[in-house]
């Protein structure tokens, strides 16, 4: 039965940012996201209205997924930020907060949208050029021969999520594990066809974080009764052959197609499949395969036969394990059991053993030589902490891969952002006239927009404070310094502060500080001649990834630009 | 930066404290049972443990869910200690709320509390007692001490129920109060030579030989186990028997050299028999289950015979297929002739199955899933016993004991799949008679090797069976943890009191809290700033509130024993002990027969850590985001949920 309804005309309205609801929505979204920003942010409890599982998190990916908005403009903002997160995994919250700040602050200055957009693009290019230049003092060259910078990079990612509830020692330990696992995946022989290996993360809830470990090879979870059975299996010494199937060997007729099968009574399609399977089983036994692995289910009769022939069988591995198994064993995944298996499809493994972790048991497959596949077994006491830790580890691994491509870092803890705004304020005072003519704006307008831009960035940086503390910026390096609640404003800051937020610079007599949120003009001695960061890095400092931060900045500004330029919104209803 | 107290309070923490308060009366060894009634369905449950309480309550809202999840996870791993966990969650929520009222910033609360707990746990490292030392102690000191420190003089002056003064903590720790009285064992038939049936001959010979060595462990081991029971004496007695049966077999079969091997709890199952008196509860080797209908007749035929067993994974029906198998649905079967009488698929399968059973002389079939009723009928006609819905660990036990192979389809049955060495009989209660349970009969299947050990639990009150079962598992796991870790803590509040004294020392020692100049700590929230006097003040306040949690714990546990008239009396006793810095002292009075009480190490420390982790997690959460859609009934248009904030 079809339904006939009259066509509702599309809805069109202009100047979306003039709409109170849209502005309110953007403001609410910003408040939610900024309360999660940084290692001392608050957590959100996400759950379905029907009840059920509660997710405790401050991850941008989870937040962006769960916050439901109806207005297309805000939806588009969220999509844009989500795209950045899916490509780079990190700095999602920074992008979202900065974008919202730029939109809100730009709306308040009385300049036409297109002019603001042109000036902001110019400012963005200025920032990118500075960050890419050799003179930027926030850029750190990451040296792969020392672990200090790499560990700081990983540690900054790990400690950015408070749900994990890690102590300092535990955070250090997990960082070292992640780095170890990553270095494991870098192949030791560089040949023609080389690629990074894989780290699979396996979780075990209820154990302490310090029980986490890295295993070379793969871990497959098995049940307790199965582990008791295989303990009695006959083991061959030395490497053994492995066959890997990615097709369902459960004996069902795959893809029976559309239409009806007409079958004579007495014959059974499934029996025919089983005959084929048994033929394959006989070949596997003849070829002296030690372990048969299958992505899907293996028929119990075939399993029984293989067990009797001393062939170990593991099925129901899932699609995620097929690729790492291929990389680890050198086996080619077999997609059909209708024909005989060619000999070059088999792979090799060194040995296996059973590993017990709390209430879970795993089958550990040990590769023959230095294979670039390893498993990271993560433990945490609570489920919420474990889930967050898993995501955080994946983010850290992603960041390390990006660092391989571009071994640069930017100082973390808000220092780069504070430094950047100092630079922009300084440079915006001396923009050449022909540049202004190209942008089609006056010097005063340029200064206003630059001020908005800098205040947006400063506001984003000061969002790292959640407990009433204050962010200060110093006069020489332009870094961020954090002071706690209840420090009266008139105190001599040099008595109170000891290091900047990233840990690089200590306080000394000649430094002067101002409040980050209040500064409009800053007297800066060192900005005239920006110098690169040299000297010995401290043991612990905060480091963000360069490509991630750069892209985050770009996405935030470009998204804000698009939204500021929007003239009309046309919404179809059916 | 105002000096006034914070007006709004953390709703999440308040909810947590309120939920946890429901378990106050469950703390300690004297528990008050709780009835939970559903208003809508009139269903009810009775419970005296925290995890069952939370399981039965309909907790909507994220805080309730998180609490339930934490408690259930702890229960799944350790099966004991959930009531302490629930209580501490509530106590520490209140402590954190007090911190918030003092305007202490949240990251400081989180870091100082975690540090304080770690500190207290570290200080308890030295208090762990090794089991071997304890057994020696129990063995050597045979004297009965008349004045037992830690016990109250009951029936005396009601107004001042004070512990005997002058008892030093060291004295109480080392004094073994094992009285050496004649222990009345709750005997299973293995210990009475006259009742040994033919099938237990193999076992009974070994009993004779090694009974002397067992007896040596017996008394001391019993004292140790009872000290872990926390009031569940009958449950612990059953546990001790189950363990003894297991190690007897291990000694015979594997000649295990260690004096106290680990307790293999995978081989333990319970059988709940309602309607029988409680003293019928006992431990038996073998698998005991209830049968009804015509199956007892089959049992009569089979008792005394040496059985052939097959084990089925999944269901025993003609339609069952192993998971992952999808039948072809678009199939049409065509018959070319009508010569052969049309038999349904099911009939063919039945006949096939019976033929296979006859061929291999199968007597007993254990099925993990269900069996088709037609097959059950045919099996009864052929004197084959089919038992459905057998648990995984029982089936695994039979795999190992009889040599059978677990199969999925009847067609898989071959000679090597059939297990041997099993016997069955009607289960007899302690006095040698089969109890009258109306339509149902209990049957026992045992093997030459031990497949499983069944603990039969009986109670005339149906609803109490679950409670008894929970108590048994609690005792089993406590003994298991103690044996696997080889270490235990002195109990009855000793560890909590020790932590209180340690914290008090920490707070008073100014040196520990002195701000370290030039300490660069990039991980602190205000890593730029040096530590100030304010930090020192905060730290002492926070540690004080942390200690309040343990204080409340001790006070409630002491008050629950009924030995104190008001909670305030209990609190003043706690305060007195802390002031005198008694250290490790069993402050909670003992109202049961055991002289000393012990606790498991990991269970206790993990429950503390989990409680604090949950409280700190909820502290840092500020917004609840609700996803999903709710249909608006008047307009039939889906509306999206709004967000609710709290804090």
């Amino acid at each position: 039965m079809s339904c006939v309804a009259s066509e509702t005309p599309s809805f069109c309205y202009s100047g979306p940012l003039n709409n109170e609801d849209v502005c309110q929505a953007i403001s609410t979204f910003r408040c939610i996201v900024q309360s999660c920003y940084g290692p001392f942010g608050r957590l959100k409890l996400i759950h379905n209205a029907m009840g059920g599982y509660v997710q405790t998190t401050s991850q941008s990916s989870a937040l962006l997924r769960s916050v439901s908005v109806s207005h297309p403009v805000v939806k588009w903002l969220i999509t844009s930020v989500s795209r950045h997160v899916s490509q780079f995994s990190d700095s999602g919250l920074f992008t979202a907060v900065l974008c919202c700040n730029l939109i809100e602050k730009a709306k308040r200055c009385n300049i036409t949208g297109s002019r603001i957009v042109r000036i902001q693009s110019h400012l963005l290019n200025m920032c990118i050029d500075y960050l890419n230049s050799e003179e930027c003092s926030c850029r750190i060259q990451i040296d792969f021969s020392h672990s200090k910078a790499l560990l700081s990079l990983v540690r900054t990612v790990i400690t950015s999520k408070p749900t994990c509830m890690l102590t300092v020692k535990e955070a250090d330990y997990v960082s070292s594990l992640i780095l170890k696992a990553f270095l494991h995946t870098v192949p030791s022989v560089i040949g023609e066809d080389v690629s990074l290996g894989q780290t699979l993360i396996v979780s075990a809830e209820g154990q302490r974080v310090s029980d986490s470990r890295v295993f070379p090879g793969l871990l497959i979870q098995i049940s307790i009764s199965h582990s008791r059975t295989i303990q009695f299996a006959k083991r061959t010494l030395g490497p053994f052959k492995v066959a890997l199937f990615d097709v369902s060997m459960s004996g069902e007729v795959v893809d029976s197609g559309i239409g009806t099968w007409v079958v004579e009574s007495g014959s059974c399609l499934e029996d025919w499949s089983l005959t084929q399977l048994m033929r394959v089983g006989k070949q596997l036994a003849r070829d002296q395969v030690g372990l048969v692995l299958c992505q899907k289910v293996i028929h119990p009769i075939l399993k029984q036969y293989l067990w009797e022939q001393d062939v170990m069988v593991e099925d129901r591995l899932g699609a995620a394990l097929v690729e790492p198994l291929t990389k680890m064993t050198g086996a080619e995944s077999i997609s059909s059991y209708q024909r005989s298996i060619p000999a070059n499809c088999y792979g090799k493994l060194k040995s296996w053993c059973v590993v017990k972790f709390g209430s879970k048991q795993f089958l550990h497959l040990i590769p023959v030589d230095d294979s670039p596949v390893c498993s990271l077994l993560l433990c945490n006491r609570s489920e919420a902490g474990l889930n967050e830790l898993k995501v955080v580890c994946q983010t850290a691994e992603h960041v390390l891969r990006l660092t391989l491509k571009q071994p640069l870092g930017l100082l973390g803890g808000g220092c780069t952002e504070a430094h950047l705004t100092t630079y922009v304020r300084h440079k915006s005072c001396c923009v050449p006239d022909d540049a202004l003519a190209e942008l089609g704006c006056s010097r005063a307008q340029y200064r206003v927009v630059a001020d908005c831009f800098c205040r947006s960035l400063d506001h984003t940086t000061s969002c790292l404070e959640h407990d009433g503390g204050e962010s200060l910026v110093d006069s020489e390096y332009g870094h961020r310094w954090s002071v706690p609640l209840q420090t009266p404003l008139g105190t001599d800051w040099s008595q109170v502060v000891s290091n900047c937020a990233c840990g690089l610079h200590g306080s000394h007599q000649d430094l002067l500080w101002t409040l980050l949120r209040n500064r409009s003009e800053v007297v800066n001695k060192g900005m005239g001649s920006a110098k690169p960061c040299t000297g010995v890095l401290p043991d612990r400092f905060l480091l963000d990834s360069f490509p991630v931060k750069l892209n985050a900045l770009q996405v935030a500004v470009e998204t804000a630009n698009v939204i500021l330029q929007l003239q009309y919104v046309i919404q179809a209803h059916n | 930066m105002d000096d006034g107290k914070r007006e709004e309070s953390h709703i999440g923490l308040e909810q947590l404290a309120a939920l946890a308060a429901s378990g106050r009366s469950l703390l300690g060894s004297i528990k008050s049972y709780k009835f939970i009634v559903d208003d809508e369905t009139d269903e009810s449950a009775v419970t005296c443990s925290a995890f069952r309480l939370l399981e039965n309550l309909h907790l909507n809202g994220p805080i309730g869910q998180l609490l339930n999840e934490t408690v259930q996870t702890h229960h799944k791993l350790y099966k004991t200690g959930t009531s302490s966990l629930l209580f501490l969650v509530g106590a520490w929520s209140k402590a954190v709320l007090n911190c918030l009222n003092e305007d202490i910033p949240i990251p400081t609360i989180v870091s100082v509390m975690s540090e304080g707990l770690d500190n207290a746990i570290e200080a308890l490292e030295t208090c762990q007692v090794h089991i071997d030392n304890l057994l020696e102690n129990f063995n050597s000191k045979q004297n009965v001490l008349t004045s037992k420190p830690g016990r109250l003089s009951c029936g005396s002056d009601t107004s001042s129920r004070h512990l005997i003064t002058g008892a030093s903590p060291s004295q109480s720790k080392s004094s073994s109060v094992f009285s050496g009285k004649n222990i009345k064992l709750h005997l299973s038939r293995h210990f009475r030579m006259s009742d040994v049936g033919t099938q237990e001959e193999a076992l009974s010979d070994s009993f004779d030989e090694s009974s002397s060595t067992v007896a040596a462990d017996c008394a001391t081991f019993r004292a140790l186990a009872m000290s872990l029971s926390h009031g569940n004496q009958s449950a612990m007695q059953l546990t001790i028997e189950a363990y003894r049966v297991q190690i007897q077999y291990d000694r015979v079969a594997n000649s295990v050299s260690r004096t106290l091997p680990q307790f293999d709890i995978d081989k333990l199952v319970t059988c709940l028999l309602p309607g029988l008196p409680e003293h019928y509860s006992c431990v038996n080797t073998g698998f005991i289950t209830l049968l009804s209908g015509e199956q007892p007749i089959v049992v009569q035929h089979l008792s005394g015979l040496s059985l052939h067993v097959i084990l089925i994974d999944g269901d025993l029906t003609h339609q069952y297929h192993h998971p992952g198998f999808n039948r072809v649905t678009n199939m049409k079967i065509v018959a070319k002739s009508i010569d052969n009488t049309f038999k349904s698929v099911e009939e063919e399968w039945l006949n096939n199955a019976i033929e296979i059973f006859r061929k291999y002389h199968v007597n007993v079939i254990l099925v993990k899933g269900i069996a088709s009723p037609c097959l059950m009928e045919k099996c009864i006609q052929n004197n084959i016993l089919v038992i459905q819905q057998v648990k995984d660990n029982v089936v695994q036990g039979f795999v190992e004991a009889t040599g059978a192979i677990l199969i999925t389809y009847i067609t898989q049955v071959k000679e090597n799949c059939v297990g041997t060495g099993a016997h069955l009989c009607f289960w007899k209660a302690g006095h040698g008679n089969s109890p009258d349970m109306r339509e149902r009969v209990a049957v026992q299947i045992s093997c030459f090797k031990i497949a499983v050990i069944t603990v039969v639990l009986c109670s005339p009150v149906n609803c109490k069976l679950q409670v008894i079962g929970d108590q048994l598992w609690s005792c089993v796991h406590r003994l298991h943890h103690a044996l696997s870790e080889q270490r235990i803590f002195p109990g009855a509040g000793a560890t909590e009191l020790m932590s209180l004294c340690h914290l008090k020392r920490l707070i008073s020692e100014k040196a520990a809290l002195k701000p370290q100049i030039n300490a660069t700590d990039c991980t602190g929230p205000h890593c730029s700033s040096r530590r100030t006097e304010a930090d020192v003040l905060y730290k002492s306040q926070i540690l004080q509130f942390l200690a309040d949690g343990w204080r409340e714990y001790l006070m409630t546990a002491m008050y629950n024993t009924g030995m104190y008239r008001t909670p305030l009396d209990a609190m003043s006793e706690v305060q007195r002990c802390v002031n005198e810095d008694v250290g490790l002292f069993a402050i909670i009075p003992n109202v049961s027969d055991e002289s000393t009480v012990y606790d498991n190490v990991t269970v206790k420390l993990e429950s503390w850590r989990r409680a604090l982790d949950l409280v700190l997690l909820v502290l840092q959460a500020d917004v609840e985001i609700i996803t999903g859609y709710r249909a608006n009934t008047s307009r039939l248009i889906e509306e999206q949920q709004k967000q609710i904030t709290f804090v």
Side-chain angles (χ1 to χ4, degrees), chain B residues 135-146:
Chain B
L135 287 175
E136 273 172 31
N137 259 347
F138 277 139
N139 216 353
S140 55
K141 299 200 178 171
Q142 298 284 330
N143 342 319
V144 181
L145 291 181
T146 45

Side-chain angles (χ1 to χ4, degrees), chain A residues 27 29-42 44 93-102 104-105 160 413-415 417-418 454-472 480-482 516-517, chain B residues 107 525-526 622:
Chain A
S27 173
F29 176 66
R30 178 181 54 80
C31 287
I32 293 176
V33 176
Q34 89 185 19
S35 65
C36 290
Y37 185 41
F40 305 105
R42 299 287 179 264
K44 302 288 174 280
L93 294 171
F94 169 75
T95 317
V97 178
L98 180 59
C99 187
C100 292
N101 275 330
L102 284 169
E104 287 178 344
K105 296 209 171 15
S160 64
C415 289
E417 291 89 320
C454 293
R455 274 192 298 118
S456 305
L457 202 49
D458 279 343
H459 188 263
T460 310
T461 314
S462 63
C463 287
L464 286 168
E465 291 290 341
H466 294 276
D467 301 288
E470 282 292 347
S471 292
L472 308 173
R480 173 181 166 253
W481 304 66
S482 166
L516 188 68
R517 57 184 160 91
Chain B
H526 305 288
D622 62 347

Side-chain angles (χ1 to χ4, degrees), chain B residues 193-207:
Chain B
M193 296 299 136
S194 51
D195 280 6
V196 169
T198 45
Q199 58 260 42
E200 260 75 51
E201 258 172 32
L203 231 45
S204 65
D205 287 336
S206 58
F207 270 61

Side-chain angles (χ1 to χ4, degrees), chain A residues 28 32 35 40-54 56 63 66-70 162-163 165 167-168 205-208 224-226 228-229 232 248 250-253 256-266 269-270 297-301 304 308 316 358-359 381 383-384 465 467-470 480-487 494-503 507 540-542, chain B residues 1-2 61-63 65-66 69 73 76-78 102-103 105-107 110 114 118 264 266-267 321-336 340 368 392 396 399-400 405-409 411-414 416-417 518-532 534 538 606 609-610 612-614 616-630 640-641 643 646:
Chain A
T28 314
I32 293 176
S35 65
F40 305 105
R42 299 287 179 264
L43 310 176
K44 302 288 174 280
L45 304 176
I46 304 175
H47 66 107
N48 197 294
M50 295 294 149
Y53 176 62
V54 177
T56 316
L63 282 178
S66 61
V67 168
S68 51
V69 283
S70 43
T163 315
M165 307 279 286
T167 62
V168 174
E205 195 199 323
Q207 310 294 106
R208 297 166 302 179
I224 295 179
S225 37
H226 186 59
R228 281 175 101 118
T229 319
F232 299 112
S248 164
S250 60
E252 58 182 1
V253 175
S256 49
I258 312 166
T260 324
W261 288 65
V262 176
V263 177
E264 265 190 37
S265 76
L269 286 175
E270 285 91 15
V297 177
I298 295 184
H299 200 292
I301 295 183
Q304 187 190 1
E308 285 165 5
R316 295 215 209 166
S359 56
R381 195 162 283 110
E383 195 185 342
E465 291 290 341
D467 301 288
E470 282 292 347
R480 173 181 166 253
W481 304 66
S482 166
V483 287
L485 185 67
Q486 280 136 12
T487 323
S494 60
Q495 297 299 320
V496 184
V497 294
S498 62
N499 299 83
C500 71
C502 66
S507 83
R540 306 176 71 91
F541 65 105
L542 295 179
Chain B
M1 296 188 198
D2 50 23
I63 303 293
Q65 292 280 5
L66 282 175
E69 210 176 72
T73 311
K76 210 164 71 164
L77 271 178
Y78 300 112
E102 299 296 325
D103 280 337
I106 292 182
V110 174
S114 310
D118 281 337
D264 189 359
D266 286 332
K267 289 213 164 192
H321 282 282
H322 57 277
F325 183 97
N326 300 311
R327 294 208 82 156
V328 175
T329 43
N330 48 348
M331 202 162 70
K332 197 155 65 168
I333 302 178
V334 168
K336 279 214 169 135
N340 40 355
K368 273 197 194 174
D392 279 355
Q396 185 62 29
V399 164
E400 290 170 19
I405 296 180
L406 190 61
I407 54 179
T408 315
Y409 298 107
T411 48
Q412 278 179 274
V413 179
K414 283 190 271 194
N416 59 353
C417 298
N518 299 327
T520 49
D521 180 16
C522 254
T523 56
H526 305 288
C527 47
S528 310
S529 58
R530 302 175 204 274
R531 294 201 203 157
T532 58
Y538 282 159
E606 281 301 300
R609 284 215 169 95
R610 254 179 234 272
L612 194 64
D613 272 355
L614 177 65
L616 295 178
L617 198 75
V618 173
L619 169 67
Q620 293 176 82
D622 62 347
V623 168
E624 176 190 339
I625 298 181
I626 306 175
T627 60
Y629 296 92
R630 197 198 295 166
Q640 290 169 341
Q641 281 286 354
Q643 297 144 357
F646 58 84

Side-chain angles (χ1 to χ4, degrees), chain B residues 37-286:
Chain B
V37 181
D38 191 331
D39 274 340
E40 289 164 26
T41 62
D42 276 341
E43 280 176 9
S44 61
V46 73
T47 176
C48 66
S49 50
F51 79 96
R52 288 270 183 227
L53 174 69
L54 290 178
E55 205 179 69
N56 285 313
L57 290 175
H58 292 304
L59 298 164
N60 44 5
I63 303 293
Q65 292 280 5
L66 282 175
L67 178 63
N68 192 22
E69 210 176 72
T70 309
V71 170
Q72 298 301 338
T73 311
H74 184 88
H75 173 73
K76 210 164 71 164
L77 271 178
Y78 300 112
K79 294 278 196 293
T80 175
T82 47
S83 308
S84 305
L85 171 63
L86 183 64
F87 187 86
L88 281 172
V89 166
W92 278 329
S93 302
K94 284 191 267 197
V96 171
L97 281 169
N98 289 336
C99 291
L100 288 176
N101 277 337
E102 299 296 325
D103 280 337
I104 303 177
I106 292 182
T108 318
I109 302 179
V110 174
S111 60
V112 171
M113 278 216 169
S114 310
E115 236 181 83
L117 183 67
D118 281 337
N119 231 313
I121 289 177
E122 251 179 63
L124 289 174
E125 287 274 317
T126 50
C127 305
Q128 293 177 17
V129 181
H130 203 281
I131 284 192
D132 293 337
N133 298 342
L134 212 61
L135 287 175
E136 273 172 31
N137 259 347
F138 277 139
N139 216 353
S140 55
K141 299 200 178 171
Q142 298 284 330
N143 342 319
V144 181
L145 291 181
T146 45
S147 70
K148 301 187 177 72
R151 296 209 63 156
L152 289 180
S153 45
C154 309
S156 65
D157 170 35
T158 50
S159 59
S160 62
R161 292 184 177 274
H162 285 292
L163 296 166
I164 296 168
T165 53
S168 69
S170 56
Q171 200 181 338
S172 67
K173 191 163 75 167
S174 62
S175 67
S176 95
V177 224
F178 169 62
S179 51
K181 56 191 175 196
N182 270 337
I183 307 144
K184 228 185 167 158
L185 288 177
H186 191 99
L187 293 177
S188 81
R189 50 217 187 99
H190 300 289
F191 292 93
R192 286 189 274 126
M193 296 299 136
S194 51
D195 280 6
V196 169
T198 45
Q199 58 260 42
E200 260 75 51
E201 258 172 32
L203 231 45
S204 65
D205 287 336
S206 58
F207 270 61
D208 273 329
E209 288 163 359
S210 50
S211 58
S212 51
T213 40
V214 174
D217 293 344
C218 191
T220 53
F221 176 70
R222 185 184 181 275
L224 168 68
M226 294 311 272
S227 70
L228 288 167
S229 70
H230 298 185
N232 299 325
Q233 281 162 324
S234 42
M236 192 48 99
Q237 279 169 351
L238 291 170
T239 309
I240 295 171
E241 265 185 68
Y243 179 67
R244 263 210 294 268
V245 167
Q246 203 175 68
I247 58 172
Q248 285 283 2
Y249 166 71
D250 276 346
R251 282 228 179 95
V252 168
N254 308 328
S255 51
V256 173
S257 54
R258 228 177 94 185
T259 42
L260 285 178
Q262 291 220 23
F263 196 177
D264 189 359
I265 49 182
D266 286 332
K267 289 213 164 192
L268 208 61
V269 280
T270 55
C271 176
L272 304 176
L273 298 182
L276 297 177
E278 279 187 32
H279 65 262
Y280 276 36
S281 306
C282 61
V283 174
N284 295 102
T285 54

Side-chain angles (χ1 to χ4, degrees), chain A residues 347-468:
Chain A
K348 255 210 243 168
L349 271 184
K350 186 165 160 195
S351 72
W352 59 267
C353 62
V354 173
V355 175
K356 291 190 190 135
F357 252 88
S359 56
K360 288 193 180 178
Q361 312 236 0
F362 297 95
L363 180 68
H364 180 202
L365 300 176
I366 303 166
V368 175
D369 52 14
D370 239 356
S371 97
V373 174
C374 64
S375 298
L376 173 60
L377 180 72
L378 282 178
C379 306
N380 203 329
R381 195 162 283 110
S382 63
E383 195 185 342
L386 188 61
N387 290 338
E388 195 89 333
L389 191 60
K390 239 168 76 166
V391 180
V392 148
C393 289
Q394 282 165 340
T395 308
E397 205 210 327
H398 194 166
V399 164
L400 283 170
R401 283 177 179 227
L402 291 167
T403 312
L404 259 187
K405 252 199 299 192
Q406 202 177 5
L408 289 169
L410 286 171
L411 294 172
C415 289
T416 303
E417 291 89 320
H419 181 89
L420 201 58
T421 45
T422 317
Y423 176 79
V424 169
R425 280 184 206 279
H426 175 82
K427 272 285 186 203
S428 64
C429 300
C430 41
V431 174
D433 286 328
D434 49 350
L436 287 175
E438 245 185 79
L439 292 171
C441 64
S442 67
R443 192 169 286 277
Q445 286 173 330
Y446 189 90
R447 292 275 289 274
V448 167
V449 177
D451 184 55
C452 278
F453 183 86
C454 293
R455 274 192 298 118
S456 305
L457 202 49
D458 279 343
H459 188 263
T460 310
T461 314
S462 63
C463 287
L464 286 168
E465 291 290 341
H466 294 276
D467 301 288

